[in-house]
Amino acid sequence: DAGITQSPRHKVTETGTPVTLRCHQTENHRYMYWYRQDPGHGLRLIHYSYGVKDTDKGEVSDGYSVSRSKTEDFLLTLESATSSQTSVYFCAISESTSGADTQYFGPGTRLTVL
Amino acid sequence: GNSVTQMEGPVTLSEEAFLTINCTYTATGYPSLFWYVQYPGEGLQLLLKATKADDKGSNKGFEATYRKETTSFHLEKGSVQVSDSAVYFCALSPTTVFFGNEKLTFGTGTRLTIIP
């Protein structure tokens, strides 16, 4: 198994509060991704990183920010959580830019915003 | 832009039945194609992949052939087991990867349930 952990695994929070989700890898892979999974939408990319301090937006980045200060950690922050951000969040890693490279996924974080 | 369309679920089959889950894609050039599987309570795992036309990916008895002429990558298995119950995602990666497009595009997923 790829060494990817996510924390917390479950979180319930209230609208308007800030939330930070953490993804940690032990593989030293360059690329890290944050996705959200919602019924009827599959996985949608929120943000991704191609190196320390190098990040870019995905297709559903509004309301989210990310930071990567170390190779092994990629943080996803909801500055002010809304009910529409209730979802399951997955982190993924990949070794290089090759289009055929496999992405390895973490176990997910289930976030509920009340 | 790139897109993936896969068979709507849920799909329910009896053990030992033949499985097909359809996947078609829209992309420029020759993308790489993937099937990922998600077991209950877990993240996605790569099931198989194909990187060029007519390639066949295979793993755990599952197969999928990259068909450029029909822009398809259908997943098949000859005899399913209860342990195959999961959600299956078709995905593609761009032909040429450069900064800004190192992304997978996923289908919406197909939930498969196998009954003993």
Side-chain angles (χ1 to χ4, degrees):
Chain A
D1 289 341
I4 311 172
T5 56
Q6 294 184 230
S7 58
R9 293 294 313 280
H10 302 272
K11 186 169 183 66
V12 179
T13 191
E14 294 190 349
T15 298
T17 60
V19 176
T20 295
L21 308 183
R22 179 179 183 241
C23 177
H24 178 79
Q25 62 151 328
T26 58
E27 306 297 317
N28 204 36
H29 282 357
R30 179 178 181 184
Y31 284 78
M32 299 185 76
Y33 306 81
W34 276 108
Y35 293 91
R36 59 178 290 174
Q37 182 178 24
D38 304 289
H41 292 278
L43 269 76
R44 294 180 291 175
L45 183 66
I46 305 171
H47 282 279
Y48 69 102
S49 169
Y50 45 93
V52 173
K53 299 192 189 307
D54 293 324
T55 65
D56 204 353
K57 296 178 179 180
E59 61 181 301
V60 291
S61 59
D62 287 349
Y64 302 94
S65 62
V66 290
S67 65
R68 192 168 178 201
S69 58
K70 299 185 290 184
T71 299
E72 57 266 35
D73 289 326
F74 192 33
L75 304 181
L76 177 71
T77 297
L78 291 66
E79 301 290 349
S80 177
T82 67
S83 58
S84 65
Q85 294 175 311
T86 293
S87 186
V88 181
Y89 291 86
F90 287 98
C91 175
I93 64 175
S94 178
E95 187 168 18
S96 78
T97 59
S98 167
D101 272 5
T102 300
Q103 288 191 14
Y104 299 93
F105 286 79
T109 294
R110 183 173 295 276
L111 176 67
T112 302
V113 183
L114 301 176
Chain B
N2 297 334
S3 67
V4 174
T5 302
Q6 64 179 102
M7 182 175 176
E8 291 284 333
V11 175
T12 302
L13 295 173
S14 297
E15 205 165 22
E16 299 183 4
F18 184 87
L19 168 71
T20 300
I21 301 178
N22 290 338
C23 172
T24 57
Y25 67 90
T26 301
T28 54
Y30 294 83
S32 297
L33 300 172
F34 305 81
W35 277 101
Y36 280 81
V37 59
Q38 183 181 30
Y39 298 104
E42 299 183 9
L44 279 70
Q45 305 172 24
L46 178 69
L47 181 60
L48 52 84
K49 69 181 182 184
T51 58
K52 60 182 186 294
D54 299 325
D55 264 4
K56 178 185 285 188
S58 62
N59 186 24
K60 299 182 181 180
F62 290 89
E63 294 182 338
T65 301
Y66 188 157
R67 301 287 188 199
K68 177 67 176 175
E69 64 275 13
T70 55
T71 62
S72 65
F73 193 54
H74 304 321
L75 182 68
E76 298 182 334
K77 186 175 185 183
S79 177
V80 292
Q81 306 300 313
V82 172
S83 57
D84 295 326
S85 297
V87 181
Y88 292 81
F89 292 91
C90 187
L92 70 80
S93 181
T95 303
T96 304
V97 179
F98 51 87
F99 281 154
N101 82 334
E102 311 91 323
K103 307 164 193 173
L104 288 175
T105 299
F106 286 90
T108 54
T110 301
R111 181 176 299 278
L112 173 67
T113 302
I114 307 301
I115 342 179

